[in-house]
Amino acid sequence: MQMRLLLRFISKNPEIYFLKILTLSIAMAALILVSVFSLNEFGYDRFHKNYDQIFRLIEKSETETFGRNKYSCQIPEHIYSQLNADRPGVFARIKVLNELRVLTSNSAYHNQQLHIADPEITDIFTFTILHGALEDFKENQLSMLISTNLAEQYFGKTDVDGKEISLFTFDDTLKLTVSAVYEAFPSNSHQNFGSFIYLNPKSLKTLGFNLAASEVYSLKADGANIGAINSKDKTYSGQPISEIYFGPRMDGEDVLHGDIYSMIILVSITAFILFLALTSFINLTSLALPHRVKELAIKKLAGHTRLRLLMSFIGESLFISVISLVIGMGILWLCWENIEAIEVINLPHLIVGQITTLILILIIFSLMLALSPLLMVGKFIRANAIRLLSSEAITFPRFKKVIIIAQLGISIFLIVSAIVINRQVTYSLVKEPGRNNYQVVYVNYPDNMTYEQLTALRAGWKKSRPNIVNVMAVSQLPNQISSRDLSTGIYSISVDSEFNNFFDLEMIEGGWFGPNDGDSMLVVNESAFAKLAGTAPIRGVYKDISGKFNLPEKPIQIVREGHVKYNFLCISILEVDILKTLAFLERYFESNGQKAEVRFMDKKFGSWLDYQIKLNAFTNLLTIIAGLLSCCAIYGLSISVVRDKLKQIAIRKICGADLIHIIYLLVKEFATNLFIAVLIFAPITYIILKELLRAFVYSTQVNWLDPMYPLAYCGMVIAVLCTWQALTLNRADLSGALKE
C-alpha cells in the first residue's frame, strides 16, 4: 500500500524525483569511484602484519648541492655493518637487480628485474607460503623465494619448490633452487617484490653487482636507534614503510610513488559532491512535503503513530537511495571506456579488494540520506490532522535560503579551486626548499645537427632557458649500453666533452679528456681498467655509475668522438614547470611536422609524472561532475523559488506582467542569494587557496580572473533555468494557485 502511494506521488511530481535520483546516482557513482581508489592509495604496504613497525633507512645529506636529491635510500655497507653489529637480526638489505637473463626448464627470459635480500627479510615482511618452507631459504645460500605471479610466468604453475633457475648477466651463471613460493604481494606495494634471492657476496659478484650500498629495512627501528652514527654531513633515520608511497622521492630507489596532496584534493572534491547531492536531496524533499499533507492527515486519522510515519519516510529515502545506487553503478558501466582511458585505477580489481569497506561506506551514506530529511518531516509528523488540512502551509523559508546560499557558494568554491589547483599541478609539485632537482630526458640525435651546432645550442639554452640545465650527446645511454667487443669483452660508448659534468663522474685516477687528447685516448671504469691496464692509452679511471641504475658493473670504455657517432641527445631539466619544458622540447626537435618523443632516463619518474597528469585529469572530471550537480541543484532551487513565489507571480501575471518581468523576478531572487554567497565564500575560498599554495616552494597565484569563470557559469545556469521556468509559467493557467 505504501509503495503504491509513493509511486502515485512520484507520477504526480516526476520533475522532483527525477532530480533526486539523477543527483544521487551521479554522487553514488563518484563515491564508488573515489572510495575504491582512495582506499587502495592510502592502503599501500599496509598488508604486512606489523606494517607500523617496519622501517626503511634513509640517508639525508646536510650539504646543499644544486640539482641533487639530498635524500637517498642507498645505505653504505659500512653503515649497515655497524647497525647490524649493534642489533643483529633486526636489519635486512634489499638490492634491485636489473637487466638479468633468466633460464628455466621452460624458456629463457631477458631484461628481468629481481631482488636479492638478507634471509632476515622473512622476519620483517609478511609472507604467505603456499609451497615449500621459509626455513629452507634461510639455510641455503643458493636459494630464492618466488611469488605466485613469477612462478606462473616462469613455469606455468605455482607448485615449483625445488625447481632450478639459472641467472646470468654477461659473464658467469648463477644457479638457484626455489625454496618456497609465496602469495604475490598486492598491487599496492611500493615495489614489485616478485622474488628474493639469498644475499651473499659471492652470488652478487657472479652476477656482476657490488654491495657498496643497498636499501636497508628494519623491524622496530627509528631515528633514535641510529642517531649515534650520524655525522656532520649526513644523518640517518627510519622511514615507516607505510609512508614510502606518499613520501619524498629518493636517489637510488626503484619504487612507486603517489601524491597525498592530490589525493586530499580528490577526496575533498568528492565530499563537496556528496554535500551538494545531500543538500539537494533535502531541498527537494522539503519541496515535496507540503503536497503530501492530505496523505499524512488521513494516516493520522487512521491511527498511524509518529514512529510509523517516520519509518515510512525513512523507507522511502532508502528506496530512492537503492535505486540511485543501481543507476550509479550503471553509469560507471556505461562510462567504463572513459574511466579506463584515465588509467589511474583498475576498478573491478579494486572493488573486489575493498568490497567490505566499500559496502560499509555506501551503507553509511545511504543512512545519511535516509535520516537527512527528518528535521523537516518531524514538523509534519508532529502537527495534528486539523493543522495539516488547514490552508496555512508548513514551509521552511530560512532553511531553504541557507541551502541556496550554501549550494551556490560551494559551486563557486569548487570551480575556482579546480582552476587554481590545475594551474599549480601543471606548474610545480615541489613542496620542500632545496628540492628543485633536475631530471634527465633524451631524444634521438637530430640528423642535421653538427657538433658546432650542439655547442652553440648548449651555450644558448643556458642563457635563454633557465629550466634547461645542460645538454650532452652520446652514442648509447649509460643505462642501456649494449655494444660489446667480443674479443676483449669491453663495452664502448662515444660521448661529447660534457659527459663527465653531466653525470657527475667521480674520477679515481687520472682525469677527464683534455683539449689536446687524441681520439685514441680512453676514460674507463674500474672493471675495464683491470682488463686494459698497460694495453691501451688510458686518460683516467672513474667510479662505475651502473649502481645508480641498479645494473651490473660492465667493463666500459669512454671514447670522445665526433657527432657522427651520436645517437641520443641527453638534456637535464628542472622539475619546476616540467610539463612546459617537455612541450618546448617536443616542438623544438619535431621532424616532418611530428613532435619529437621526449623520454625520461628515470622511467619511474616518467611514470610518476604520467600518474600526476592522469590524477589531475581525474580531479578535473570530478570538478565537471560537481559543476553538473551544481546545475541540478540550481534547477531544484529554481523549482523551489517558483513554488514559493507562485501566488506573487500569478497576481503579477493577472495584472499584465509579461515574460521579461517574470524572468526578472526569478533572477532577482537568485542574484540576491548569489551576492550573499559570494560575500561569504569569497574570503573563505581565497584564504584556503592561499594556505594550500603556501605548501609549495614554487607556487602560482590566485588571479582576480579566477572567480569570474564560476560566476559566469552560475549566472548562465541561473539565467537559462529562470527563463525556462518563466516560459513554463507563462503558458500555464495560474488561477488555481490563488485558490490555495
Side-chain angles (χ1 to χ4, degrees), residues 19-35 269-281 321 324-325 327-329 331-332 358 361-362 365 369 622 625-626 628-629 632:
L19 276 177
K20 272 188 177 184
I21 294 173
L22 177 63
T23 53
L24 288 183
S25 299
I26 295 174
M28 288 286 192
L31 178 61
I32 294 171
L33 199 60
V34 175
S35 293
I269 291 175
T270 306
F272 284 125
I273 286 174
L274 297 180
F275 177 82
L276 284 173
L278 193 63
T279 53
S280 181
F281 183 77
S321 65
S324 302
L325 175 60
I327 296 174
M329 295 180 71
I331 291 172
L332 290 178
L358 178 61
I361 290 172
L362 291 172
F365 183 63
L369 287 172
L622 288 180
I625 291 173
L628 178 61
L629 286 184
C632 293

Side-chain angles (χ1 to χ4, degrees), residues 31 116 165 201 342 388 399 451 483 529 585 701 732:
L31 178 61
I116 191 166
I165 291 180
I342 299 176
L388 291 171
F399 183 75
Y451 186 75
S483 62
F529 181 71
L585 293 174
Q701 299 296 322

Side-chain angles (χ1 to χ4, degrees), residues 298-363:
I298 293 171
K299 285 182 177 180
K300 277 185 169 288
L301 292 173
H304 284 211
T305 62
R306 291 183 179 180
L307 180 61
R308 186 174 175 183
L309 291 173
L310 197 63
M311 293 305 295
S312 67
F313 277 106
I314 292 175
E316 288 178 14
S317 298
L318 285 175
F319 174 71
I320 292 172
S321 65
V322 169
I323 292 176
S324 302
L325 175 60
V326 173
I327 296 174
M329 295 180 71
I331 291 172
L332 290 178
W333 181 75
L334 290 173
C335 299
W336 177 241
E337 289 187 2
N338 294 327
I339 295 172
E340 277 190 320
I342 299 176
E343 294 180 358
V344 175
I345 58 176
N346 184 347
L347 192 60
H349 173 75
L350 295 184
I351 287 178
V352 171
Q354 310 287 350
I355 188 65
T356 304
T357 310
L358 178 61
I359 290 173
L360 180 62
I361 290 172
L362 291 172
I363 289 174

Side-chain angles (χ1 to χ4, degrees), residues 80 188 223 232 241 308 372 409 425 472 547 722 732:
Y80 164 76
N188 56 350
K232 185 172 102 173
I241 191 173
R308 186 174 175 183
S372 59
V425 170
M472 185 271 306
C722 288

Side-chain angles (χ1 to χ4, degrees), residues 244-275:
I244 292 176
Y245 181 66
F246 284 131
R249 287 178 287 107
M250 300 187 185
D251 273 350
E253 68 177 6
D254 188 1
V255 307
L256 295 172
H257 276 293
D259 182 43
I260 194 168
Y261 174 83
S262 298
M263 286 305 306
I264 291 173
I265 291 171
L266 202 67
V267 172
S268 299
I269 291 175
T270 306
F272 284 125
I273 286 174
L274 297 180
F275 177 82

Side-chain angles (χ1 to χ4, degrees), residues 326-504:
V326 173
I327 296 174
M329 295 180 71
I331 291 172
L332 290 178
W333 181 75
L334 290 173
C335 299
W336 177 241
E337 289 187 2
N338 294 327
I339 295 172
E340 277 190 320
I342 299 176
E343 294 180 358
V344 175
I345 58 176
N346 184 347
L347 192 60
H349 173 75
L350 295 184
I351 287 178
V352 171
Q354 310 287 350
I355 188 65
T356 304
T357 310
L358 178 61
I359 290 173
L360 180 62
I361 290 172
L362 291 172
I363 289 174
I364 292 173
F365 183 63
S366 297
L367 288 175
M368 289 174 61
L369 287 172
L371 299 175
S372 59
L374 294 188
L375 177 64
M376 293 80 68
V377 169
K379 289 187 176 182
F380 284 86
I381 292 175
R382 288 193 298 271
N384 56 40
I386 297 174
R387 172 80 166 83
L388 291 171
L389 293 173
S390 67
S391 59
E392 184 183 353
I394 301 176
T395 58
F396 313 91
R398 291 182 181 176
F399 183 75
K400 288 181 180 179
K401 193 172 188 68
V402 170
I403 284 183
I404 291 174
I405 294 170
Q407 289 186 332
L408 291 174
I410 287 177
S411 300
I412 294 170
F413 170 77
L414 277 177
I415 299 173
V416 174
S417 300
I419 293 170
V420 176
I421 290 166
N422 183 69
R423 187 164 63 236
Q424 179 62 50
V425 170
T426 303
Y427 177 56
S428 171
L429 287 171
V430 178
K431 303 184 188 68
E432 183 181 346
R435 289 296 306 279
N436 189 7
N437 305 322
Y438 60 77
Q439 292 293 326
V440 177
V441 297
Y442 62 93
V443 297
N444 293 332
Y445 194 84
D447 295 332
N448 57 349
M449 180 175 284
T450 64
Y451 186 75
E452 290 73 20
Q453 289 174 328
L454 171 61
T455 305
L457 180 67
R458 181 157 46 221
W461 275 355
K462 284 183 178 180
K463 294 179 181 179
S464 62
R465 294 283 170 180
N467 282 5
I468 298 178
V469 180
N470 205 350
V471 186
M472 185 271 306
V474 289
S475 62
Q476 299 179 83
L477 299 173
N479 62 337
Q480 298 178 27
I481 300 175
S482 58
S483 62
R484 182 185 188 188
D485 189 320
L486 296 179
S487 60
T488 63
I490 303 294
Y491 291 81
S492 182
I493 176 174
S494 301
V495 305
D496 79 11
S497 57
E498 279 293 311
F499 185 86
N500 65 323
N501 294 325
F502 194 95
F503 288 104
D504 196 21

